[in-house]
């Protein structure tokens, strides 16, 4: 039996890796990958809480996060491609 | 099985950290896919095979492959990791956040509350009791599809003129 604290630490590690990428990167695609990492960490946290509490709500939130991530990636990549065609760069530096 | 879980978890976290600092974008994507597959193995070991399959199929198989296609279309510059002011500031803010959340996890008493409801048939509950959430998720995906089409529509028109 894995303790809940260890699952929380793993999700925190993935979330913090994504947060560091979000703060440090200047490329739009890399920032999107970092946001996906943060969403992934949050989804893993919900699964851990589902296993710990023994109810279904965390799994439903996991499915919701996956749907949000899929919709967000579709829109964000369209915006990134439009930005790339207009500015000929994917960098966010001024 | 616990050793396998910890091994895959450490690999997942390390691969995600490497994905954030590696210079090339395509290498970052491959490391992120590697991390997500390891996380899905962790979920499988935790006796959540449906969540593991969803994570592997949708996250690693659909979302990250979409990123790979976007990388092919965009000329991305490389950024090599070195300890300058911006990276040190990013590390400091991230560590501060991790410390803050760790203290919250340690102090919170909601971790010890146990619910009595057992894990029943997941999709029956999902379709029966939480139908509104399912409808909302499907509308969200439809809105994402329409919005991405609308965002890229003027560019197509401009190109054809």
């Amino acid at each position: 039996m894995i303790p809940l604290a260890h699952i929380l630490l793993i999700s925190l590690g993935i979330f913090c890796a994504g947060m560091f990428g979000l703060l440090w990167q200047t490329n739009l695609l890399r920032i999107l990958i970092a946001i996906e990492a943060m969403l992934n960490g949050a989804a893993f946290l919900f699964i851990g809480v589902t296993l710990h509490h023994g109810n279904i709500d965390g799994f439903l939130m996991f499915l919701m996060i996956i749907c949000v991530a899929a919709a967000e990636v579709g829109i964000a990549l369209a915006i990134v491609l439009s930005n790339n065609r207009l500015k000929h760069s994917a960098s966010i530096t001024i | 099985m616990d050793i396998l879980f910890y091994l895959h978890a450490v690999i997942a976290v390390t691969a995600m950290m490497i994905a954030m600092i590696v210079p090339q974008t395509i290498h970052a994507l491959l490391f992120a896919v590697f991390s997500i597959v390891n996380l899905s193995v962790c979920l499988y070991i935790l006796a959540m095979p449906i969540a593991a399959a969803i994570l592997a199929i949708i996250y690693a198989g659909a979302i990250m492959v979409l990123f790979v296609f976007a990388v092919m279309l965009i000329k991305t510059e490389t950024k090599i990791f070195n300890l300058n002011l911006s990276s040190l500031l990013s590390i400091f803010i991230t560590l501060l956040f991790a410390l803050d959340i760790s203290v919250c996890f340690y102090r919170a008493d909601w971790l010890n509350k146990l619910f009595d409801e057992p894990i029943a048939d997941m999709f029956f509950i999902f379709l029966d009791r939480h139908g509104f959430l399912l409808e909302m998720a499907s509308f969200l995906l439809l809105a994402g599809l329409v919005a991405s089409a609308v965002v890229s529509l003027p560019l197509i028109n401009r190109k054809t003129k």
Side-chain angles (χ1 to χ4, degrees):
Chain A
M1 182 68 187
I2 311 289
L4 178 62
H6 295 174
I7 298 176
L8 295 185
L9 275 181
I10 293 162
S11 69
L12 182 65
I14 292 175
F15 190 89
C16 284
M19 188 175 173
F20 170 71
L22 183 69
L23 290 171
W24 182 61
Q25 290 289 342
T26 54
N27 192 348
L28 271 174
L29 270 178
R30 301 296 294 270
I31 288 173
L32 273 178
I33 296 170
I35 292 172
E36 290 303 312
M38 292 168 78
L39 282 173
N40 208 355
F44 195 72
L45 174 76
F46 275 111
I47 289 293
V49 173
T50 291
L51 285 169
H52 183 71
H53 288 319
N55 61 0
I56 199 73
D57 300 335
F59 183 72
L60 296 178
M61 284 308 295
F62 170 78
L63 289 179
M64 194 70 194
I65 286 175
I66 295 284
C67 289
V68 168
E72 173 235 332
V73 163
I75 299 173
L77 283 181
I79 291 173
V80 168
L81 286 178
S82 302
N83 182 46
N84 187 53
R85 286 184 190 175
L86 289 175
K87 292 171 66 177
H88 300 289
S89 169
S91 176
I92 59 165
T93 52
I94 301 170
Chain B
M1 290 303 271
D2 286 1
I3 296 172
L4 267 180
F5 173 80
Y6 288 120
L7 180 70
H8 284 290
V10 167
I11 290 174
V13 175
T14 313
M16 196 59 91
M17 284 177 181
I18 293 172
M20 293 304 136
I21 61 173
V22 77
Q24 298 282 344
T25 307
I26 189 76
H27 295 164
L29 275 172
L30 293 178
F31 272 110
V33 169
F34 184 58
S35 167
I36 290 168
V37 169
N38 275 292
L39 263 189
S40 74
V41 173
C42 286
L43 288 181
Y44 189 79
I45 294 172
L46 283 173
M48 296 288 285
I50 299 174
I54 287 172
L55 200 68
I57 292 169
I58 297 180
Y59 241 100
I63 296 177
M64 288 300 164
V65 172
L66 204 63
F67 272 108
V68 172
F69 286 137
V71 169
M72 289 177 192
L73 294 174
I74 293 174
K75 184 184 175 187
T76 55
E77 65 271 16
T78 60
K79 186 174 184 183
I80 299 169
F81 180 75
N82 47 15
L83 289 175
N84 51 12
L85 180 63
S86 67
S87 62
L88 282 177
L89 198 62
S90 305
I91 291 172
F92 175 70
I93 293 173
T94 307
L95 287 181
L96 203 65
F97 175 79
L99 185 69
D100 186 16
I101 297 293
S102 302
V103 170
C104 287
F105 282 163
Y106 182 69
R107 290 291 181 122
D109 55 349
W110 54 267
L111 298 178
N112 297 322
K113 291 178 184 171
L114 282 174
F115 288 29
D116 292 331
E117 188 179 354
I119 295 179
D121 194 359
M122 285 182 182
F123 286 105
F124 177 72
I125 292 177
F126 187 47
L127 293 175
D128 187 35
R129 278 200 318 204
H130 300 275
F132 177 71
L133 192 66
L134 183 71
E135 291 290 332
M136 228 171 74
S138 59
F139 270 110
L140 188 68
L141 288 171
L142 180 65
L145 180 70
V146 173
S148 56
V150 167
V151 165
S152 54
L153 198 60
L155 294 173
I156 297 170
N157 288 340
R158 193 181 303 137
K159 196 173 178 184
T160 51
K161 279 177 186 174

